[in-house]
């Protein structure tokens, strides 16, 4: 069962294997570039650039997936709010607040959305207010 304490997701291979390997490759490519002789300086520079690119790809591939999911969650939760209340979601709700509200049960979501606007609750505060947690096991 998902709760506030265990809802964050880490992908062990992604966070604990791939990232350290990319960082290690980047460090070694910098060392290789610094100590390269004139004959291999160009290839050392290419290896360095490729390792920097790998780091950017690692970061942005995760970021792009999360952004796409954020948009989908905003649409889903806005529709859910409309179904529950017959009204559009309050425009003062920030994206982070809407994303946090996805964990609230149908019974508590409308009231918690109003409270989030009235008290300018952070996403963490919203999650801590939830009594009946609604799981989201599909987040990347």
């Amino acid at each position: 069962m998902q709760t506030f304490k265990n809802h964050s997701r880490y992908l062990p291979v992604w966070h604990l294997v791939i990232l350290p390997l990319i960082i290690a490759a980047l460090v070694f490519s910098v060392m290789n570039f610094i100590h390269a002789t004139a004959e291999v300086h160009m290839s050392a520079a290419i290896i360095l650039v490729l390792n920097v690119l790998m780091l950017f790809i690692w970061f942005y591939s995760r970021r792009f997936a999360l952004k796409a999911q954020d948009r989908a969650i905003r649409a889903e939760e806005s529709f859910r709010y409309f179904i529950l209340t017959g009204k559009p979601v309050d425009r003062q709700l920030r994206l982070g607040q809407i994303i946090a509200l996805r964990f609230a049960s149908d019974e508590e979501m409308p009231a918690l959305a109003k409270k989030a606007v009235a008290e300018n609750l952070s996403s963490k505060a919203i999650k801590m207010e939830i009594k009946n947690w609604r799981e989201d096991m599909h987040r990347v």
Side-chain angles (χ1 to χ4, degrees), residues 2-4 6-10 62 65-81 84 89 93-110 112-113 116 122-140:
Q2 194 176 41
T3 65
F4 175 75
N6 69 4
H7 79 284
S8 295
R9 292 194 58 195
Y10 284 98
R62 176 91 171 137
L66 291 176
K67 280 289 193 187
Q69 284 188 335
D70 289 350
R71 290 180 60 138
I73 290 168
R74 179 177 47 207
E76 290 169 359
E77 294 307 309
S78 295
F79 184 58
R80 179 175 161 226
Y81 185 86
L84 294 172
V89 71
L93 276 173
R94 296 183 314 274
L95 178 60
Q97 292 172 314
I98 293 171
I99 291 169
L101 286 167
R102 80 185 186 277
F103 296 112
S105 66
D106 288 349
E107 296 76 27
E108 58 189 329
M109 192 244 204
L112 192 52
S122 68
S123 60
K124 181 179 180 181
I126 291 169
K127 292 175 195 174
M128 292 176 74
E129 290 277 329
I130 297 171
K131 304 292 184 259
N132 298 312
W133 197 268
R134 186 173 156 249
E135 291 186 347
D136 180 4
M137 301 305 284
H138 302 291
R139 183 82 165 163
V140 171

Side-chain angles (χ1 to χ4, degrees), residues 17-96:
V17 176
I18 295 175
L19 179 59
L21 286 175
I22 290 173
I23 291 171
L26 182 59
V27 168
F28 288 127
S29 66
V30 167
M31 291 170 42
N32 181 45
F33 180 75
I34 290 170
H35 298 295
T37 61
E39 305 86 50
V40 295
H41 202 259
M42 181 62 80
S43 60
I46 291 170
I47 292 169
L48 176 60
V49 168
L50 290 174
N51 280 293
V52 169
L53 286 174
M54 276 196 315
L55 186 62
F56 279 106
I57 290 169
W58 178 89
F59 175 77
Y60 281 108
S61 61
R62 176 91 171 137
R63 187 81 185 127
F64 291 157
L66 291 176
K67 280 289 193 187
Q69 284 188 335
D70 289 350
R71 290 180 60 138
I73 290 168
R74 179 177 47 207
E76 290 169 359
E77 294 307 309
S78 295
F79 184 58
R80 179 175 161 226
Y81 185 86
F82 183 79
I83 289 171
L84 294 172
T85 65
K87 300 174 186 172
V89 71
D90 192 324
R91 291 190 180 268
Q92 293 180 40
L93 276 173
R94 296 183 314 274
L95 178 60

